[in-house]
Amino acid sequence: MQREPLIDGHGRRISDLRISVTDRCNFRCQYCMPAEGLKWLERDGILRFEEIERLAALLAQMGIRTVRLTGGEPLVRKDFPALAALLTRIEKLDEVSVTTNGFLLERDAQALVQAGIARFNVSVDSLQRDRFFAQTRRDALPRVLRGLAHLATFPEAHPIKVNAVAIRGFTEHELLPFARFAREHPYEVRFIEYMPLDGDRSWDMTQVLTGAEIFDAINKHFPLEPAERAPHATARTHRFADGIGKIGLINPVSEPFCGDCDRIRLTADGRLRTCLFSLNETDLRTPLRTGATDDDLEQLIRDAIWRKELKHRVNEPGFIQPQRTMSAIGG
């Protein structure tokens, strides 16, 4: 069945969906959650596989074309490859991808590729073991790199993107090692400006290492040139001038890309969020479990998307950080 496309109140057509499959994570990254972790959702509070499949299929009928599965850490969800296989079979979806911290990739890469996952983003904030531990509070870098290398053996998984959150006072020391890494391996290394979604609620603008600063630092040593940018892409991608490797810059704080945002999010407990920084959510889990028809759900979704925020306002006076942290929203 084909339904009318999703259009927000600012005329933007919505085609990208992020689905958080769990709020749990086996890391405790400093930019995401406190060292002691957070209070996890109860098992019954998390959407079941069939509920996720139903919502994804309905949204595909309404024009969603790409889905990214996130967490928390999605690979800690029991039987996660089975969910991936359900979603890749949905008619009208062009792509289902996964964002992961890589800790369980050695175990799950083959199953996920066989399930039809065609793109992967792997979070790696440092290539130095002690600094990786300082950021994630887990001594896991060797295992993550083994998982990344294992994933790279599957041709269907490419291109593989390696994401690092850019934090002033930390990431400056990682730029050239990551640039060399991008030149020596078949990955696109991407730096994401630090955003106010941390569990400790200690973010401020002085901690943001901007994409422009990152570009300048790398370009001095390894000249860069722009690569083609797809419509609605969040990253500004650059090739090394000699053609060996790529660097991506995602600058939501210093250069917001809200104007052509085509994205919505579904949290692990079934709340629809129309912006990463939304202060309001739409409950879809309760209607799902109390007999709502697809037409009922469609109307709820359309009403929420019509109210989608024009921009996130991070740089503006009066900005309010959402109560949910990144791990509870879905990256």
Side-chain angles (χ1 to χ4, degrees):
M1 179 178 179
Q2 184 67 44
R3 298 172 187 261
E4 289 297 312
L6 287 167
I7 308 291
D8 74 7
H10 308 287
R12 296 171 297 195
R13 186 164 179 161
I14 308 304
S15 60
D16 182 70
L17 171 66
R18 300 287 173 101
I19 301 176
S20 172
V21 302
T22 180
D23 63 329
R24 295 174 185 258
C25 188
N26 41 16
F27 286 7
R28 297 289 182 272
C29 297
Q30 297 204 34
Y31 52 79
C32 190
M33 68 172 74
E36 66 275 13
L38 298 165
K39 183 179 179 181
W40 308 126
L41 294 166
E42 297 294 331
R43 183 184 297 271
D44 191 53
I46 296 175
L47 290 181
R48 306 176 191 114
F49 284 6
E50 62 269 22
E51 293 170 332
I52 295 173
E53 180 186 21
R54 181 182 172 190
L55 287 173
L58 174 61
L59 284 159
Q61 294 171 11
M62 300 161 71
I64 291 294
R65 291 294 171 262
T66 56
V67 169
R68 177 169 294 279
L69 301 175
T70 72
E73 168 49 39
L75 275 61
V76 305
R77 177 85 186 250
K78 186 178 180 181
D79 298 326
F80 175 64
L83 172 62
L86 288 175
L87 300 185
T88 59
R89 291 197 291 265
I90 292 175
E91 188 179 358
K92 297 185 173 67
L93 284 184
D94 296 334
E95 178 182 283
V96 181
S97 57
V98 168
T99 292
T100 173
N101 63 27
F103 188 75
L104 296 173
L105 270 177
E106 279 188 288
R107 184 192 74 184
D108 286 349
Q110 181 173 354
L112 288 170
V113 170
Q114 290 175 345
I117 300 298
R119 288 181 183 268
F120 292 81
N121 284 20
V122 184
S123 298
V124 185
D125 291 307
S126 175
L127 295 171
Q128 300 174 64
R129 188 169 181 172
D130 59 337
R131 291 171 59 76
F132 184 94
F133 174 80
Q135 192 65 277
T136 66
R137 303 183 177 108
R138 294 293 184 268
D139 184 16
L141 180 61
R143 181 166 174 170
V144 169
L145 293 180
R146 288 197 307 270
L148 189 58
H150 180 53
L151 178 65
T153 65
F154 298 94
E156 309 96 310
H158 291 265
I160 298 168
K161 295 172 181 176
V162 174
N163 291 347
V165 175
I167 303 175
R168 189 177 303 282
F170 182 88
T171 308
E172 296 97 325
H173 307 286
E174 306 296 331
L175 298 181
L176 293 184
F178 268 123
R180 296 185 187 99
F181 189 69
R183 292 169 61 77
E184 295 166 1
H185 298 85
Y187 314 130
E188 177 187 316
V189 173
R190 309 196 310 171
F191 296 96
I192 305 171
E193 290 180 346
Y194 181 29
M195 292 179 282
L197 293 164
D198 56 307
D200 294 326
R201 306 184 75 82
S202 61
W203 179 94
D204 66 59
M205 280 293 297
T206 65
Q207 298 170 294
V208 179
L209 183 65
T210 68
E213 292 172 284
I214 293 168
F215 176 88
D216 288 344
I218 294 176
N219 190 53
K220 286 178 184 176
H221 294 268
F222 303 106
L224 297 167
E225 56 187 31
E228 185 176 353
R229 187 185 184 199
H232 305 291
T234 57
R236 298 179 182 275
T237 306
H238 302 269
R239 294 186 215 71
F240 291 103
D242 60 10
I244 304 172
K246 287 185 178 180
I247 294 289
L249 302 172
I250 302 177
N251 308 330
V253 178
S254 66
E255 298 179 86
F257 34 79
C258 305
D260 62 353
C261 179
D262 66 340
R263 182 173 302 166
I264 55 176
R265 285 178 162 80
L266 182 66
T267 65
D269 55 347
R271 268 59 176 180
L272 180 67
R273 294 178 64 88
T274 52
C275 176
L276 191 55
F277 297 96
S278 290
L279 298 178
N280 300 297
E281 304 173 333
T282 299
D283 177 15
L284 299 181
R285 184 188 66 192
T286 300
L288 269 174
R289 295 183 179 179
T290 54
T293 66
D294 281 1
D295 289 344
D296 295 333
L297 293 169
E298 177 183 2
Q299 192 58 56
L300 282 171
I301 292 166
R302 288 194 186 281
D303 289 347
I305 287 175
W306 184 255
R307 300 189 299 269
K308 179 173 166 63
E309 298 84 346
L310 176 62
K311 54 184 178 177
H312 58 53
R313 304 186 186 280
V314 169
N315 287 319
E316 298 181 12
F319 168 76
I320 301 173
Q321 181 173 336
Q323 286 299 311
R324 288 188 191 253
T325 64
M326 178 66 87
S327 64
I329 294 171

